[in-house]
Amino acid sequence: MNTSPSLINPGQRRRLRAFVADHPGLTRPELMAAADRVQMRMLITDGLTEVHNRSMVRQDDDGRYWPA
């Protein structure tokens, strides 16, 4: 079990998962480029790994993110 504090709250995790679902198959840099607001870019920076670790999105061998 992961006991480290979460960087983002549940609502932010859902927003980030929805963003990945709206932009499937993009890498982290491509997701950053697709984000039209600083707030979303910060959310990608702070939370993409956490959302992946929580199995809300998956990452393929090429580093592309997909909704889970």
Side-chain angles (χ1 to χ4, degrees):
M1 183 164 118
N2 187 357
T3 58
S4 62
S6 177
L7 294 175
I8 60 175
N9 66 45
Q12 291 170 318
R13 285 192 293 270
R14 286 189 298 271
R15 280 189 26 231
L16 186 51
R17 191 241 178 249
F19 184 78
V20 171
D22 289 343
H23 302 86
L26 298 182
T27 62
R28 182 183 294 258
E30 291 168 337
L31 287 168
M32 294 287 283
D36 60 348
R37 298 180 62 199
V38 171
Q39 184 179 25
M40 182 53 72
R41 287 191 294 273
M42 290 176 61
L43 193 53
I44 292 166
T45 300
D46 292 344
L48 191 57
T49 300
E50 180 177 339
V51 171
H52 176 258
N53 289 344
R54 290 175 178 263
S55 300
M56 297 175 78
V57 299
R58 61 184 177 85
Q59 186 179 22
D60 65 19
D61 293 337
D62 295 325
R64 299 192 176 282
Y65 288 90
W66 304 89

